[in-house]
Amino acid sequence: MRVHHLDCATMCPFGGRLLLGSGGPLVGRLSAHCLLIEGPTGLILVDTAFGTADVADPGRLGRQFLTTVRPRLDLARTALHQVRALGYHPEDVHDIVLTHLDLDHAGGIGDFPNARIHVLDEELRAARARATRGERDRYRPAQWAHHPRWVEHPRNGATEDWYGLRALPILPGEAPDLLLVPLPGHSRGHSGVAVRTDDRWLLHCGDAYFSHTDVAPGPVRRPPGLTVFQRLVAIDDHARRDTLERLRELRRSHADKVRTVCAHDPFDLVTAPYAEPQP
């Protein structure tokens, strides 16, 4: 089995060079890092970025998002087209695991109508309620108007001690080495997704952090403005900061056992192999 690292979108936020930095892989742009896992019974996607319907009708994403984040919408970059480019069919994707339901993570679920969609229960409740103005912007019901096959995982079911974090199995009977790891703060039910590779675990942290420098050991110069941005978009900044410290401790104590990636830092894609073998 293999884990494929897919870059499913490019976003060029307004003021991105000031926000994200102008040197190295971070050059004022964001990626959309998704995973395609060859599981024992079918393919598993971790996040989907934008879908083909978003490319066909960008208005689904909302004027504010289009103006401030400035996504480059391209059919070839969608998860659907990348799955096909790897020689698979959409029907081969049996399960999609979402770190959260933000529009730049869940837009492609409609391209895989037969897949089960796994998400923490709090996240789905928040997306349906859209209780705050920010949540009305970040959650776009048109992206799940096709009535997906939701599989809600209770956060209080995360009882397994996984390197100092809580975790719960996603497909215990099919893929026991695939875990949902609650990482709250960015959104109400935000989570990471852990999968065991040949030599260590890979933890997709979603939007728990935006730059590899956020969890890098030692004194590191972080992109200017990024901390402010993460604070502004977090539904609970106290929980976000607690999550970030837990991830830093994970890197300090278990870097030999767990590798972390986030959704939007191109650095993680540059340093990731195209495919990671699994046992």
Side-chain angles (χ1 to χ4, degrees):
M1 294 194 301
R2 295 190 296 175
V3 178
H4 300 268
H5 295 263
L6 310 181
D7 186 1
C8 290
T10 296
M11 292 162 277
C12 304
F14 184 78
R17 288 187 178 274
L18 175 64
L19 177 69
L20 300 171
S22 57
L26 276 174
V27 288
R29 65 182 178 88
L30 302 172
S31 61
H33 194 158
C34 303
L35 306 178
L36 181 66
I37 303 168
E38 297 180 7
T41 60
L43 300 180
I44 303 164
L45 267 172
V46 177
D47 283 353
T48 65
F50 306 110
T52 57
D54 299 321
V55 177
D57 179 14
R60 286 167 33 120
L61 303 176
R63 180 180 298 177
Q64 180 178 347
F65 182 83
L66 292 173
T67 302
T68 58
V69 179
R70 300 191 298 177
R72 296 177 180 174
L73 300 173
D74 179 358
L75 278 175
R77 297 287 294 281
T78 61
L80 175 66
H81 281 254
Q82 294 200 48
V83 166
R84 285 174 171 161
L86 288 169
Y88 301 110
H89 300 285
E91 296 78 14
D92 296 330
V93 178
H94 293 181
D95 296 275
I96 297 174
V97 186
L98 297 176
T99 59
H100 59 307
L101 277 161
D102 276 5
L103 72 172
D104 56 330
H105 292 256
I109 62 175
D111 292 327
F112 305 93
N114 297 320
R116 296 174 294 191
I117 313 299
H118 300 263
V119 67
L120 273 187
D121 54 357
E122 311 179 60
E123 184 68 10
L124 186 56
R125 286 197 300 269
R128 286 169 168 166
R130 301 172 77 213
T132 68
R133 180 175 179 176
E135 287 173 316
R136 288 190 289 275
D137 288 334
R138 77 194 307 166
Y139 300 129
R140 312 303 288 187
Q143 293 181 330
W144 55 84
H146 62 290
H147 304 294
R149 298 169 59 195
W150 298 111
V151 181
E152 301 179 56
H153 295 269
R155 181 176 171 183
N156 59 14
T159 57
E160 182 175 335
D161 186 356
W162 185 80
Y163 299 109
L165 298 170
R166 294 297 182 184
L168 67 155
I170 300 170
L171 296 166
E174 301 171 32
D177 289 335
L178 183 68
L179 305 174
L180 207 56
V181 182
L183 300 174
H186 176 73
S187 65
R188 297 183 195 272
H190 185 277
S191 62
V193 182
V195 56
R196 190 194 295 273
T197 64
D198 59 339
D199 61 342
R200 54 181 169 169
W201 287 85
L202 174 67
L203 176 62
H204 190 303
C205 298
D207 286 359
Y209 63 92
F210 276 67
S211 167
H212 66 282
T213 61
D214 283 330
V215 293
V220 177
R221 182 180 178 184
R222 292 177 172 81
L226 192 58
T227 299
V228 175
F229 173 75
Q230 292 180 93
R231 183 183 304 131
L232 288 174
V233 298
I235 193 70
D236 184 339
D237 191 58
H238 177 78
R240 179 194 69 83
R241 287 184 282 113
D242 181 70
T243 288
L244 187 56
E245 185 52 44
R246 290 174 183 269
L247 290 174
R248 287 171 178 161
E249 178 58 32
L250 179 70
R251 285 287 301 272
R252 284 192 293 264
S253 302
H254 302 293
D256 59 329
K257 298 181 178 66
V258 181
R259 177 189 170 209
T260 63
V261 297
C262 68
H264 296 309
D265 187 349
F267 178 87
D268 284 348
L269 282 158
V270 169
T271 58
Y274 178 72
E276 296 189 25
Q278 289 192 89

